[in-house]
C-alpha cells in the first residue's frame, strides 16, 4: 500500500500562487508515476500533471506555463507549483501514485484550492 498526504491548498486571489505538496509513505519503492488531478464542483476529475521516477513530466495543455510539477525523491514528496491562478482553477486537487499494472492507483484525500476574482 501507498499512503499519500496532500497539503498546501487554500484561498488565494486571482493572479496569486500556491504550492501543493504530496508526501508518500508505505511501499514507495513501487511507485512509477505520481501526479495531480483536480475536480471542480459539478465537473469530472481531470488530469493536471504527472511526473515519472526519471523526472519526465507531462501537463494538461491549458496549464502549461502556469503549473510546474516536481519531486524530491529524498523526501518522497511531489510538488505542484501553481502560478497566475485563475478562478477557474478552483477545485479539489488530488495527488495520485501509480505502481505496478496489477495494482490500483493510490489517491490522497484531496486539498481545496479556491481562487477568488
Amino acid at each position: 500500500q501507498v499512503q499519500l498526504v496532500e497539503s498546501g491548498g487554500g484561498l488565494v486571489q486571482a493572479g496569486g500562487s500556491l504550492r501543493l505538496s504530496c508526501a508518500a509513505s508505505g511501499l514507495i519503492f513501487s511507485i512509477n508515476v505520481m501526479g495531480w488531478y483536480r475536480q471542480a464542483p459539478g465537473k469530472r476529475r481531470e488530469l493536471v500533471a504527472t511526473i515519472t521516477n526519471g523526472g519526465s513530466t507531462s501537463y494538461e495543455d491549458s496549464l502549461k506555463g502556469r503549473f510546474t510539477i516536481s519531486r524530491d525523491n529524498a523526501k518522497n514528496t511531489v510538488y505542484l507549483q501553481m502560478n497566475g491562478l485563475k478562478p477557474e482553477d478552483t477545485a479539489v486537487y488530488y495527488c495520485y501514485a501509480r505502481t505496478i499494472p496489477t495494482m490500483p492507483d493510490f489517491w490522497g484525500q484531496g486539498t481545496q484550492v479556491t481562487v477568488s476574482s
Side-chain angles (χ1 to χ4, degrees), residues 35-80:
W36 294 90
Y37 276 74
R38 68 183 184 182
Q39 187 166 21
K43 295 188 176 181
R44 297 174 60 184
R45 189 173 294 191
E46 64 175 0
L47 179 66
V48 174
T50 64
I51 186 166
T52 69
N53 277 350
S56 296
T57 59
S58 66
Y59 297 90
E60 201 285 323
D61 285 344
S62 67
L63 301 177
K64 290 179 181 178
R66 293 195 300 124
F67 288 16
T68 303
I69 190 170
S70 62
R71 65 192 295 167
D72 183 334
N73 291 330
K75 296 182 178 180
N76 302 315
T77 300
V78 170
Y79 304 97
L80 184 68

Side-chain angles (χ1 to χ4, degrees), residues 3 10 12 18 53 57 65 69 73 84 103 107 117:
Q3 294 79 43
V12 64
L18 283 175
N53 277 350
T57 59
I69 190 170
N73 291 330
M103 291 289 290
W107 294 89
S117 57

